[in-house]
């Protein structure tokens, strides 16, 4: 802090004199111009303009009261209501005692009485006011998080300790709040929007703690922390915050989750309590079903498990613990079923934790970003498999690989996949790309650009989980797609209500209009198969044919069922 002070003291400050009588302006300028840069204005309106337009920040305003157009009092009340300038110190220039109280009430810092016959006194008051306000700014900057105006972690812990000390008998909770996938929000909407969202969210939290006699701090990027009086029902707190979010401009799509550590023993180390609240918060994130969690032993185990998985990724890749399973997509158009392609699905054989399904580790890896490493590995493995089947069967069995929405942000995505294809000696016709619909819910333009780049290279693009996201028909229409893959939930519910059947019919129509192929996945029964076939779905994937299986088993399956017609290229 000392250093900051020194730096600040070396800069030449700017003082704005607001005074309609030029002779007074002259005198004050004369007194102050040795030490300060001087700006002038003849009334309140002009002063506001100067303050807002000035490139160098103004350190102090000397303000006359009686001026034409806008007088000193009106100026004061406007400036003190302005978030950006309310801390600007203002010294009122007056000859009337009666003005002093009013000016004080409106937030003036000091007075200088006319006439200006004591230059040293004026210099001293100006200097003192500037110093005071800058000291306060330094203190506030250290106490408050600049972006969100909540407490910095250090000060938060200190104030929480104070609460414990003075209210030893009040039951309290420590709550860590995290915004869901905030890094994505930033990547999608840009950092300015991210900062805005963060500030608005902080305001909502402040509002909430005010009612529960608590305090708010920010731990790191998108983690907030609250210390407040015991809340019995976190469900309704979640609703309250959610409601406020919904009503807030520009952030109504923000989601959040929180972890609670109930303080039973105020002597317990605060850092440890904080750790546990954060663990609970992170554990919610993994399960994704409930959006809050109160810390207990299970929460602890869950966090450890998640951390372990992310920690183990690099090693797992090195030691080839990931295995690619393949699930057939079967062309059912004609009388004879033929293999159309297969989908590559990742599996993890963890040496200590056993078999882990992608439903568990993919969301975790997406959150952390390590999905990029895993996907690269899977793509390469798939490419090798394609090559080996080509050699074995004399035809290509195309493999669809999954591309995560996180991969879509990678500038080198297209060249990476192209390189894998080239290095493994296969062709772009052999590797289909499944891009989930949610990958372009928000950042449509970038997604289109990426997909177009893939198309230019000659790849086949399948839109996965179609119907689960919110892509508009316009988007779909301008995207150069090859395949729409109906989201599995429609198949699961197709006979439960008419609406689902109708939606499936609409998807089929869309595909027909766009002249793209249709795939239905998650097909488990004969009944589903024939209904889908009837509606124009000619490529079917699902347990009805086979679960995802290791490469060797897939070979056995297609051989015994005569699904490969050697010598001809498989239809899409
Ligand atoms: P997805 O891409 O939608 O894959 C289809 C999922 O449905 C697979 O789950 C598959 O095993 C399952 N499935 C297939 N047929 C049926 C059926 O008839 N009934 C039922 N109930 N399920 C069926 P899986 O293998 O557990 O993968 C889950 C998700 O994890 C995938 O959903 C995909 O989003 C993701 N994933 C898997 N492997 C990878 C990968 O290598 N990279 C990326 N980025 N994501 C992957
Ligand atoms: Ca898929
Ligand atoms: Ca899917």
């Amino acid at each position: 802090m000392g250093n900051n002070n020194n730096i600040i003291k070396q800069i030449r400050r700017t003082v704005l004199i607001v005074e309609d009588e030029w002779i007074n302006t002259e005198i004050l300028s004369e007194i102050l111009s040795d030490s300060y840069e001087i700006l002038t204005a003849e009334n309140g309106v002009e002063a506001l303009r100067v303050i807002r337009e000035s490139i160098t920040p103004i350190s102090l305003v000397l303000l006359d009261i009686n001026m034409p157009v806008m007088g000193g009092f009106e100026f004061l009340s406007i400036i003190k209501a302005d978030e950006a300038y309310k801390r600007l110190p203002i010294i009122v220039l007056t000859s009337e005692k009666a003005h002093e109280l009013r000016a004080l009430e409106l937030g003036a810092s000091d007075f200088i009485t006319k006439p200006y016959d004591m230059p040293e006194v004026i210099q001293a008051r100006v200097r003192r006011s500037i110093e005071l306000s800058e000291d306060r700014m330094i203190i506030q900057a250290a106490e408050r998080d600049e972006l969100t105006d909540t407490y910095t972690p250090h000060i938060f812990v200190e104030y929480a300790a104070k609460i414990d000390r003075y209210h030893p008998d009040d039951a309290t909770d420590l709550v860590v709040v995290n915004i869901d996938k905030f890094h994505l929000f930033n990547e999608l909407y840009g950092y300015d929007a991210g900062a805005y969202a963060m500030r608005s969210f902080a305001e909502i939290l402040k509002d909430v703690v005010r009612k529960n006699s608590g305090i708010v701090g920010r731990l790191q990027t998108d983690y907030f922390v609250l210390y407040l009086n015991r809340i019995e029902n976190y469900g309704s707190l979640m609703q309250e915050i959610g409601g406020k979010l919904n009503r807030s401009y520009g952030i109504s799509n923000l989601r959040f989750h929180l972890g609670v550590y109930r303080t039973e023993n105020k002597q317990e180390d605060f850092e440890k309590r904080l750790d546990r609240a954060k663990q609970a918060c992170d554990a919610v994130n993994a399960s994704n079903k409930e959006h809050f969690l109160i810390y207990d032993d299970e929460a602890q185990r869950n966090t450890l498990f998640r951390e372990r998985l992310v920690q183990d990724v690099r090693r797992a890749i090195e030691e080839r613990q990931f295995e690619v399973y393949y699930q057939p997509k079967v062309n059912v158009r004609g009388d004879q079923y033929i293999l159309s392609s297969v989908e590559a699905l990742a599996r993890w054989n963890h040496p200590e934790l056993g078999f882990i399904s992608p439903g568990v580790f993919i969301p975790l890896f997406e959150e952390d970003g390590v999905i990029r490493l895993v996907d690269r590995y899977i793509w390469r493995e798939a490419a090798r498999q394609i090559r080996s089947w080509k050699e074995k069967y004399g035809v290509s069995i195309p493999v669809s690989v999954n591309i995560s929405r996180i991969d879509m942000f990678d500038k080198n995505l297209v060249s990476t996949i192209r390189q894998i294809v080239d290095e493994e000696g296969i062709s772009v016709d052999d590797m289909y790309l499944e891009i989930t619909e949610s990958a372009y819910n928000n950042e449509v333009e970038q997604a289109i650009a990426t997909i177009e780049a893939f198309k230019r290279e000659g790849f086949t693009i399948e839109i996965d989980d179609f119907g689960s996201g919110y892509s508009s028909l316009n988007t779909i229409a301008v995207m150069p797609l090859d395949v729409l893959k109906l989201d599995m939930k429609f198949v699961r519910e197709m006979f439960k209500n008419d609406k689902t059947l109708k939606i499936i019919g609409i998807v089929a129509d869309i595909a027909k209009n766009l002249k793209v192929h249709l795939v239905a996945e998650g097909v488990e029964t004969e009944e589903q198969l024939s209904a889908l076939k009837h509606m124009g779905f000619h490529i079917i994937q699902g347990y009805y044919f086979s679960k995802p299986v290791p490469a060797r088993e897939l070979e056995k399956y297609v051989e015994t069922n005569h699904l490969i017609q050697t010598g001809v290229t498989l239809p899409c």
Side-chain angles (χ1 to χ4, degrees):
M1 213 189 275
N3 275 344
N4 268 346
N5 248 330
N6 289 340
I7 294 168
I8 285 171
K9 292 220 161 79
Q10 284 158 20
I11 311 168
R12 215 171 134 84
R13 308 289 190 284
T14 301
V15 170
L16 170 64
I17 301 171
V18 190
E19 167 70 82
D20 59 326
E21 282 173 54
W22 69 270
I23 183 73
N24 284 341
T25 308
E26 280 297 299
I27 298 170
L28 287 169
S29 299
E30 187 64 38
I31 296 172
L32 296 169
S33 61
D34 272 356
S35 316
Y36 303 95
E37 298 297 322
I38 304 294
L39 294 174
T40 61
E42 286 183 11
N43 57 59
V45 172
E46 208 185 307
L48 287 173
R49 188 178 50 73
V50 173
I51 289 172
R52 289 184 179 135
E53 288 175 4
S54 167
I55 294 170
T56 49
I58 291 166
S59 297
L60 179 101
V61 178
L62 292 172
L63 180 69
D64 185 23
I65 293 297
N66 296 321
M67 292 178 294
V69 188
M70 183 193 282
F73 288 134
E74 194 180 341
F75 171 85
L76 255 177
S77 52
I78 291 175
I79 207 86
K80 289 295 167 188
D82 189 324
E83 237 347 275
Y85 301 113
K86 68 178 183 197
R87 291 183 191 85
L88 183 60
I90 294 172
I91 295 182
V92 166
L93 310 167
T94 177
S95 49
E96 290 173 48
K97 260 279 174 262
H99 285 160
E100 292 185 5
L101 181 63
R102 175 99 197 274
L104 193 73
E105 280 168 356
L106 288 172
S109 344
D110 205 350
F111 314 95
I112 292 174
T113 32
K114 295 177 182 178
Y116 309 129
D117 48 5
M118 295 171 76
E120 300 78 17
V121 173
I122 292 174
Q123 280 164 352
R125 293 207 154 161
V126 166
R127 193 174 56 241
R128 186 72 204 126
S129 276
I130 292 177
E131 273 173 12
L132 270 177
S133 96
E134 287 179 355
D135 282 352
R136 197 165 48 235
M137 262 156 45
I138 290 167
I139 292 167
Q140 276 171 348
E143 274 200 355
R144 299 242 155 211
D145 168 53
E146 216 170 283
L147 178 65
T148 61
D149 196 35
T150 55
Y151 291 124
T152 54
H154 181 72
I155 296 293
F156 177 86
V157 172
E158 215 158 86
Y159 283 2
K162 231 185 234 170
I163 293 176
D164 282 352
R165 209 168 326 124
Y166 295 117
H167 306 274
D169 301 325
D170 291 0
T172 50
D173 290 341
L174 184 60
V175 184
V176 169
V177 189
N178 180 230
I179 299 175
D180 293 5
K181 307 198 168 63
F182 189 71
H183 64 280
L184 273 184
F185 190 96
N186 265 337
E187 284 180 69
L188 290 172
Y189 301 115
Y191 284 91
D192 285 348
Y196 167 80
M198 198 68 88
R199 272 197 297 272
S200 314
F201 191 64
E203 285 308 313
I204 291 175
L205 294 179
K206 280 187 228 168
D207 218 37
V208 167
V209 298
R210 221 169 281 137
K211 276 189 285 176
N212 294 289
S213 329
I215 53 174
V216 192
R218 189 158 77 116
L219 288 183
Q220 34 171 285
T221 4
D222 52 348
Y223 282 95
F224 290 94
V225 57
L226 322 177
Y227 193 50
L228 33 64
N229 278 343
R230 172 76 37 96
I231 289 178
E232 293 306 334
N233 184 348
Y234 272 92
S236 43
L237 181 81
M238 298 290 298
Q239 273 178 4
E240 186 187 337
I241 300 178
K244 286 181 199 272
L245 272 175
N246 273 335
R247 289 190 296 275
S248 301
Y249 176 74
I251 53 167
S252 56
N253 59 350
L254 224 56
R255 297 286 171 268
F256 65 98
H257 51 277
L258 54 86
V260 181
Y261 184 70
R262 295 205 190 276
T263 300
E264 302 299 344
N265 168 13
K266 299 244 162 122
Q267 307 306 317
E268 194 175 15
D269 180 47
F270 198 82
E271 295 287 339
K272 202 161 129 199
R273 294 191 236 163
L274 199 55
D275 238 33
R276 296 193 160 166
K278 182 152 185 300
Q279 272 179 35
C281 178
D282 289 341
V284 189
N285 208 6
S287 71
N288 254 339
K289 282 187 274 312
E290 284 186 311
H291 296 289
F292 70 91
L293 192 73
I294 295 174
Y295 180 90
D296 59 12
D297 291 344
E298 197 188 329
Q300 188 176 17
R301 276 196 300 278
N302 197 337
T303 319
L304 292 178
F305 180 70
R306 284 159 46 86
E307 282 173 2
R308 173 85 192 269
L309 294 191
V310 173
Q311 248 168 42
D312 288 354
V313 164
R314 287 180 174 78
R315 175 136 179 236
I317 291 175
E318 262 164 43
E319 296 183 354
R320 307 180 55 79
Q321 292 166 13
F322 289 103
E323 186 177 356
V324 186
Y325 274 38
Y326 298 90
Q327 187 178 32
K329 297 179 183 173
V330 179
N331 189 322
V332 297
R333 184 172 207 158
D335 296 335
Q336 202 198 348
Y337 292 169
I338 325 162
L339 185 67
S340 169
S341 59
V342 297
E343 176 175 5
L345 292 154
R347 299 290 181 263
W348 189 356
N349 298 304
H350 194 288
E352 281 141 44
L353 303 170
F355 188 85
I356 309 170
S357 99
V360 173
F361 63 79
I362 298 280
L364 251 179
F365 291 174
E366 286 184 334
E367 179 86 14
D368 185 87
V370 287
I371 185 70
R372 290 183 185 175
L373 303 180
V374 176
D375 274 345
R376 272 185 177 64
Y377 177 84
I378 300 290
W379 300 335
R380 189 167 290 274
E381 289 297 298
R384 288 192 182 140
Q385 188 59 61
I386 292 168
R387 161 117 199 194
S388 121
W389 279 332
K390 242 183 179 170
E391 283 163 2
K392 180 163 181 179
Y393 295 112
V395 293
S396 164
I397 301 176
V399 175
S400 305
V401 294
N402 286 287
I403 294 185
S404 157
R405 52 188 175 41
I406 306 297
D407 296 315
M408 294 293 279
F409 292 118
D410 181 353
K411 302 245 169 346
N412 301 319
L413 177 65
V414 178
S415 58
T416 301
I417 293 188
R418 174 81 226 196
Q419 195 183 348
I420 290 174
V421 164
D422 292 344
E423 284 173 3
E424 299 305 327
I426 59 170
S427 126
V428 291
D429 298 328
D430 303 328
M431 192 143 124
Y432 300 169
L433 309 176
E434 280 194 17
I435 300 171
T436 176
E437 190 188 11
S438 64
Y440 54 83
N441 274 348
N442 300 305
E443 190 72 339
V444 177
E445 266 150 46
Q446 193 192 330
I448 294 180
T450 307
I451 289 174
E452 279 171 350
F454 273 130
K455 284 307 294 179
R456 277 196 297 277
E457 296 287 330
F459 284 102
T460 297
I461 305 291
E462 306 182 67
I463 293 304
D464 201 358
D465 308 324
F466 185 70
S468 66
Y470 308 94
S471 51
S472 69
L473 287 180
N474 287 342
T475 314
I476 293 295
V478 298
M479 274 191 192
L481 312 172
D482 302 285
V483 180
L484 286 186
K485 195 169 179 186
L486 180 70
D487 190 56
M488 220 174 345
K489 75 166 186 261
F490 296 111
V491 175
R492 202 183 310 128
E493 288 171 9
M494 66 187 294
F495 298 124
K496 290 194 184 140
N497 54 53
D498 288 351
K499 206 174 134 209
T500 309
L501 266 183
K502 263 190 205 127
I503 295 174
I504 299 177
I506 292 169
V507 171
D509 280 346
I510 293 172
K512 209 159 141 197
N513 278 312
L514 296 177
K515 300 192 174 58
V516 299
H517 294 275
L518 275 172
V519 176
E521 69 177 324
V523 176
E524 296 182 356
T525 66
E526 175 90 55
E527 207 190 356
Q528 290 167 337
L529 171 69
S530 62
L532 286 162
K533 191 173 161 178
H534 203 71
M535 285 193 280
F537 288 79
H538 298 134
I539 299 167
I540 302 290
Q541 176 183 0
Y543 295 172
Y544 177 78
F545 287 113
S546 164
K547 290 193 168 182
V549 290
R552 279 289 309 145
E553 270 181 59
L554 184 94
E555 290 173 11
K556 254 190 272 161
Y557 175 81
V558 293
E559 282 166 18
T560 34
N561 291 286
H562 310 289
L563 292 180
I564 298 184
Q565 300 186 323
T566 38
V568 292
T569 316
L570 296 168
C572 181

